[in-house]
Amino acid sequence: MDYLTAAKGAMNFIDTRKKKGPEGIYWSLEDAAKGRPIYYDEICMYAGASGIICFLLGLYDATKENQYLEEAKEAADYIIWRWKNEPELKRNFSKYAFSSGWSGAGFALTRLYLVTKEEKYKDTVAAIIAQMKKDAKPGKNGQGYSWSTFPGIVGDGGTVLFLLFAADVYQDEEWKNFGITAGRNFLGQRQDVGEGKCWYPGVDPAYFGAKPDYIDPNFPMGTAGVGFVLQKLYEASGDAVYLQAEQGITGFMDSVAVKMRVGKLLPHGLPDRKNLFYLGYCHGPAGTVRYYYKLYEGSRDEQEKAKYKEKIRTLVQGLEATGAPEGRSEGYWNTYNLCCGTAGLLNMYLGLWAAFGEEHDLELAKRCGKILLDAAEVEKEQEPFLKWRFALDRIAPDVLTTPIGCFDGAAGIGLALLQLHLAETDQYHVTRFLDDPFPDEKVIKA
């Protein structure tokens, strides 16, 4: 089966969960929630309609088949209805989080606006941001603004990234200035550890059942993610205070990195999870290299660029030293999704390939693609339905589910396979999420 057929098959399976809303459609999260209460809302980017809209727009872009655009619009109608009638969400990191809240919905609606130019999407984004401003609370030590106890990209960091993104798309200077001001919240979060090194909290430690001294050096729940946001704030504002706040992060990350057979990896968390190494986007190198690439991209000094590229390669080598992508480890268990599994590795490898043009990365991406195709459960060969059954939670390895969302399941896997299809057919381009700095198209042409 080719990658495009597989991606379309993933959408066919997702639609077996489709529900009719008061207006528009949404998708049930029932299977993704087996074994614990539903964590995310049906509108969210991580598991629900916002992420599936992004997948549908990817399919529309790749195939030009209008059914995908129409389905995305139907899902957007439900999101708009929810915002107007039932804006409160089920459990989430923050009401305005990118992954689990209304910033993610605003991103999906903006993606649709850019395709259709329909004003209702822009108007809903404006309404979300207006309420976001009303709900903002003073940040750490009274600096900036906050919406949650999660400073990282999964919480306030993602909200700030969305504000900067929306301001750029809609050319709204007031939104930009509000995002920059909100970002001063991070200035009060810095934790200095001597010798110029520092780390930043990304989550409320209670979320992981961790002690107050918990440190995550990675992405998007930890230090590297906050460093990425600080870089974006500096880029948007030119204010050196954000650049200064970011100084010391790479030194801290270097000091806690653990040598592998080849390369290095960063622990899941310190001090009590220093021997657990996730490999994916969440807590692992597939996410953390984004911070280093952002530093690489922003540097004008060739020696600095070489340094950050080497840091990227060191983490990727550490990942491969575990036996991945085929070999499984404690931090890369029976999972295939974009957040913590094989699809996340595939996205990383194609991002590196787009940036640096090295065939090694393309070959590793193809190996990830093979793993995903081999793991798919296929029904109805003529019009295939593809699903992936795996353990979404590392700590519950016997709870196997078939989630459908962008970060937790089939939609994100489908997006990764779409990228591989476009790379294979020499049409590579991708619409990046807010925290993905890799090029939209391949920089170095063949």
Side-chain angles (χ1 to χ4, degrees):
M1 183 181 298
D2 64 77
Y3 301 126
L4 180 58
T5 300
K8 294 169 76 171
M11 192 63 229
N12 291 339
F13 168 65
I14 292 166
D15 276 341
T16 65
R17 305 267 177 83
K18 185 159 58 176
K19 303 290 183 182
K20 180 68 177 172
E23 287 188 24
I25 60 169
Y26 66 97
W27 292 268
S28 169
L29 305 186
E30 56 189 19
D31 194 36
K34 278 185 179 176
R36 63 176 184 175
I38 290 177
Y39 194 87
Y40 300 106
D41 191 277
E42 284 83 1
I43 65 99
C44 78
M45 178 64 67
Y46 193 96
S50 295
I52 295 171
I53 286 172
C54 292
F55 180 36
L56 285 164
L57 291 176
L59 285 166
Y60 173 67
D61 178 66
T63 67
K64 302 301 183 283
E65 294 177 19
N66 203 54
Q67 70 194 58
Y68 296 121
L69 178 59
E70 292 304 312
E71 190 169 5
K73 292 166 71 174
E74 285 188 81
D77 286 343
Y78 175 72
I79 289 175
I80 293 170
W81 182 88
R82 277 289 305 274
W83 174 254
K84 291 178 178 177
N85 297 277
E86 297 179 8
E88 294 309 312
L89 303 174
K90 295 169 184 171
R91 292 178 63 196
N92 53 82
F93 288 115
S94 162
K95 181 177 179 179
Y96 297 106
F98 175 69
S99 58
S100 56
W102 285 107
S103 288
F107 177 83
L109 294 175
T110 298
R111 288 279 313 279
L112 203 45
Y113 170 79
L114 290 170
V115 174
T116 67
K117 299 301 182 186
E118 291 188 30
E119 290 293 316
K120 64 181 178 180
Y121 306 129
K122 178 180 179 180
D123 292 343
T124 304
V125 170
I128 291 170
I129 293 176
Q131 190 61 46
M132 182 188 295
K133 292 170 72 174
K134 290 179 182 177
D135 291 345
K137 297 178 174 61
K140 187 77 170 179
N141 299 327
Q143 297 185 84
Y145 297 108
S146 175
W147 296 267
S148 73
T149 58
F150 295 80
I153 287 176
V154 294
D156 293 346
T159 306
V160 168
L161 291 178
F162 171 66
L163 284 165
L164 298 180
F165 164 80
D168 184 56
V169 171
Y170 299 111
Q171 292 296 290
D172 192 304
E173 198 70 15
E174 184 180 338
W175 293 354
K176 176 182 174 181
N177 291 334
F178 178 66
I180 292 168
T181 301
R184 298 188 75 84
N185 172 39
F186 302 111
L187 304 181
Q189 308 279 355
R190 180 183 171 106
Q191 305 292 314
D192 289 294
V193 292
E195 299 179 338
K197 301 169 188 171
C198 73
W199 63 274
Y200 283 83
V203 297
D204 184 338
Y207 169 72
F208 288 122
K211 297 175 183 177
D213 61 351
Y214 172 80
I215 302 171
D216 181 349
N218 283 292
F219 209 97
M221 295 192 185
T223 299
V226 175
F228 179 93
V229 177
L230 290 168
Q231 281 286 316
K232 291 287 287 186
L233 283 163
Y234 172 67
E235 181 180 86
S237 67
D239 189 340
V241 69
Y242 294 113
L243 195 61
Q244 292 162 2
E246 183 268 334
Q247 299 301 305
I249 290 178
T250 59
F252 172 76
M253 290 167 66
D254 288 344
S255 72
V256 300
V258 177
K259 289 184 179 180
M260 300 289 110
R261 179 177 55 81
V262 180
K264 297 179 181 179
L265 288 175
L266 289 160
H268 177 283
L270 299 168
D272 56 348
R273 297 176 189 179
K274 60 186 178 183
N275 296 315
L276 174 61
F277 304 100
Y278 275 34
L279 301 186
Y281 160 74
C282 186
H283 306 287
T288 303
V289 296
R290 298 180 180 193
Y291 171 51
Y292 285 135
Y293 184 75
K294 188 65 189 169
L295 293 170
Y296 170 91
E297 179 188 46
S299 177
R300 296 293 173 264
D301 181 90
E302 289 305 314
Q303 286 188 325
E304 286 284 301
K305 280 185 172 294
K307 179 180 75 173
Y308 295 129
K309 185 176 180 181
E310 180 60 26
K311 290 182 183 296
I312 291 170
R313 285 297 168 206
T314 297
L315 285 181
V316 175
Q317 287 169 352
L319 182 158
E320 291 168 12
T322 68
E326 291 84 5
R328 297 290 175 171
S329 59
E330 187 180 5
Y332 176 57
W333 62 102
N334 174 25
T335 184
Y336 300 99
N337 59 330
L338 200 59
C339 181
C340 45
T342 310
L345 302 192
L346 195 165
N347 180 75
M348 175 196 73
Y349 278 119
L350 283 183
L352 292 170
W353 174 70
F356 303 124
E358 296 179 12
E359 286 301 306
H360 170 84
D361 295 319
L362 181 58
E363 288 305 312
L364 266 292
K366 290 178 179 178
R367 283 165 57 182
C368 291
K370 183 180 187 303
I371 292 167
L372 293 175
L373 292 184
D374 289 347
E377 296 180 19
V378 183
E379 300 175 15
K380 299 184 180 181
E381 289 288 346
Q382 296 305 311
E383 185 182 354
F385 288 63
L386 270 68
K387 59 186 176 183
W388 286 265
R389 191 180 305 276
F390 56 90
L392 186 58
D393 293 328
R394 177 184 60 84
I395 58 174
D398 297 327
V399 180
L400 303 180
T401 60
T402 53
I404 60 172
C406 189
F407 282 84
D408 73 335
I413 294 170
L415 272 173
L417 293 173
L418 270 182
Q419 282 194 54
L420 206 43
H421 159 73
L422 294 169
E424 187 178 60
T425 55
D426 201 28
Q427 306 173 71
Y428 185 78
H429 64 280
V430 60
T431 300
R432 301 286 177 188
F433 289 118
L434 298 178
D435 58 355
D436 188 340
F438 286 107
D440 295 343
E441 298 183 353
K442 191 167 183 287
V443 173
I444 301 173
K445 304 297 183 182

